[in-house]
Amino acid sequence: MPEKYTPGYSSNATNFMANRTVDSHVAFFTPDLCPGMKLLDCGCGPGTIALGLARAIAPGTVTGIDREAAQISIAAENAINQAVGNTHFQEANFYALPFLDNSFDAVFFHVLFEHLH
Ligand SMILES: C[S@@+](CC[C@H](N)C(=O)[O-])C[C@H]1O[C@@H](n2cnc3c(N)ncnc32)[C@H](O)[C@@H]1O
């Protein structure tokens, strides 16, 4: 049975997530970032954190995945609007990641695990 994602995808919920940035929520991770890294952001939602990570590791790349196609569309639109080119967003499930082993230097997730069985 598919998991229920409790917060849902209303504009209120999405806008709440979209207010998150690397500066506001990800200070714990930034000391580990280096230019040129390849990162995976799992459960990226509207992608505002992924965009900040992409700026920090440019010219490296951030791939953001989310199980919800609409979130991926919003993240891709945010990347265009913020002129962040070193990102790629795709629909994917954390339980079956469509990447080969060793595709990334680091894997990041923020506020994902509490939504998984
Ligand atoms: C609380 S939001 C966090 C979004 C973003 N990481 C942040 O911190 O603002 C959790 C996101 O994880 C996604 N998600 C939940 N279960 C997932 C799964 N099994 N695979 C991929 N994404 C999942 C949801 O669709 C949602 O966009």
Side-chain angles (χ1 to χ4, degrees):
M1 179 168 48
E3 290 170 344
K4 178 174 168 53
Y5 174 62
T6 314
Y9 300 103
S10 67
S11 54
N12 270 356
T14 299
N15 291 339
F16 179 76
M17 313 292 172
N19 279 324
R20 294 178 177 152
T21 66
V22 165
D23 286 343
S24 66
H25 284 73
V26 187
F28 65 91
F29 188 51
T30 51
D32 296 316
L33 299 177
C34 303
M37 288 177 85
K38 289 181 74 177
L39 300 183
L40 176 63
D41 180 0
C42 296
C44 64
T48 50
I49 290 175
L51 296 182
L53 294 173
R55 288 190 194 93
I57 54 88
T61 55
V62 175
T63 299
I65 65 108
D66 201 283
R67 74 174 201 182
E68 177 65 25
Q71 295 294 297
I72 291 301
S73 298
I74 292 167
E77 194 177 312
N78 283 334
I80 291 168
N81 290 340
Q82 295 183 31
V84 179
N86 57 330
T87 53
H88 168 69
F89 294 100
Q90 74 182 76
E91 185 181 347
N93 196 314
F94 178 73
Y95 292 115
L97 292 172
F99 307 108
L100 296 173
D101 287 353
N102 301 313
S103 293
F104 300 97
D105 297 308
V107 178
F108 171 85
F109 16 87
H110 184 259
V111 197
L112 171 64
F113 268 20
E114 62 264 52
H115 299 295
L116 304 177
H117 284 166

